[in-house]
Amino acid sequence: MSALEPPDTADMAAASSQQGGGSVLDKAHRALSIGIVSVVLLIAFEATAVGTAMPVAARELDGVPLYAFAFSAYFTTSLFGMVLAGQWADRDGPLRALATGIGAFGAGLVVSGTAEAMWVFIAGRAVQGFGGGLVIVALYVVVSRAYEERLRPSIMAAFAASWVIPSVVGPLAAGTVTERLGWRWVFLGIPVLVVLPLVLALPAIRRLASGPADAGAPVAGFDRGRLRLALGISVGAGLLQYAGQDLRWLSIAPAVLGTALLVPAALGLLPRGTFRAARGLPAVVLLRGVAAGAFVAAESFIPLMLVTERGLSPTLAGLSLAVGGATWALGSFIQSRPAVEPHRERLMVIGMLLVAVAIAAVPSVLVHAVPVWIVGVAWGFGCLGMGLVISSNSVLLLKLSPPDEAGSNSAALQISDGLSNVLLLAAGGAAFAALGGGSLAGAGHAVAATGGSHPTAFAAVFLPMAAVALLGAWVATRVRVR
């Protein structure tokens, strides 16, 4: 299957982008939109369901001591996949990167679902993470190539909406499958379901978004230096995550080595000026990391706090976050309206303020006189803010990226997201453990306590994350070039 675009396809795409009519579900885009949104839907379901099945899998495989590595393996390989996908998509178009990513994602699920030992299970998660990194960046390039600028907010809103049902029913469905059929079917069922999205999406991508952005330019080779940096950032992040989960003196060694690998790699892979929030693209990339990292680090501790401090069952604690899927989609829908385009920067500032207030309000339930439903209300507003910020962030990235740089810039955005997740989770987990809390079960997922906890330990997580989100409100003022 050739990834090179037919000679007339670029002209057709350019003509389409100049037309005023159409939508993401018109005849030209319908199959593509349904296909790629279905891919996101399945990835979302897997992401929300796997946390439910993981504890049972680790116990049956005698791998509880290695539990965290099942998550960090996914994360570290996904970072490498993101950088590779960015170069691959800019060089040959997103078709092959996306197809390979979906194949690797499915293969990793099969390996984990059939594993008889924990290390095999972890290897499957690593393969799955590599595939997930390829897919997420390739999808951004597809949106950049196949949808004219005015349609991109709508397809990004559709991506966000595809997380609503999985966020509500994913944990419950996974729990039912785990109890009745076994944890393996949570992993083995999804690869079968991915066939239909592939049938719909791949031919449409071949028609609308394949080949290099400039068919007349010489084909560049892969930048091996950037790939080495990608490997460094992946390994470095994994070492830091491990050190954050193990507070013994011996963990200083992997922490130092991880920092030595990660810092130069991050400086080399992210746009120049990212860490000082330079206006335009660097601020857009930094904002993604600040928003996602603060939100995920805080969300990971909410179920644990409700279970250990307020006595809720794990199911009720998880359901307290369910409304967030709907409000996130609402925020993404609001940003997709043409009328808000002139106010997008202000909308992102408001979104980050909502996230900061929500994170700060959550630990109020540590005071037993405060009703627990406050968490659900606060998190609903926080997710509304994230819907405003994340989708707008993606739209601005594509707007500021030349066609031949969409892949690399999308990879930088996802690296900022993933790297911030692991760093803030490691910092929050270290503070939590140092103040007497339980241990972090896995990056980006619910946490499990190994023993009793203390309100101060939770406050040491939520309040700094609220401050990080407040910093994000300032970064959001710098996303537009004056």
Side-chain angles (χ1 to χ4, degrees), residues 1-36:
M1 177 171 57
S2 174
L4 294 178
E5 191 175 31
D8 60 338
T9 305
D11 294 336
M12 292 168 57
S16 174
S17 67
Q18 295 172 358
Q19 294 175 355
S23 72
V24 296
L25 290 177
D26 61 20
K27 185 177 180 181
H29 297 97
R30 186 179 303 126
L32 176 62
S33 297
I34 294 174
I36 61 177

Side-chain angles (χ1 to χ4, degrees), residues 358-423:
I359 295 175
V362 163
S364 66
V365 299
L366 292 169
V367 179
H368 282 244
V370 177
V372 294
W373 54 260
I374 289 294
V375 171
V377 173
W379 214 241
F381 280 102
C383 288
L384 174 66
M386 288 295 286
L388 295 172
V389 172
I390 297 299
S391 294
S392 290
N393 186 259
S394 302
V395 169
L396 281 176
L397 177 102
L398 296 178
K399 184 176 182 178
L400 294 172
S401 300
D404 60 345
E405 296 179 8
S408 297
N409 289 343
S410 297
L413 191 77
Q414 297 305 321
I415 289 170
S416 177
D417 186 315
L419 184 60
S420 178
N421 284 348
V422 75
L423 292 179

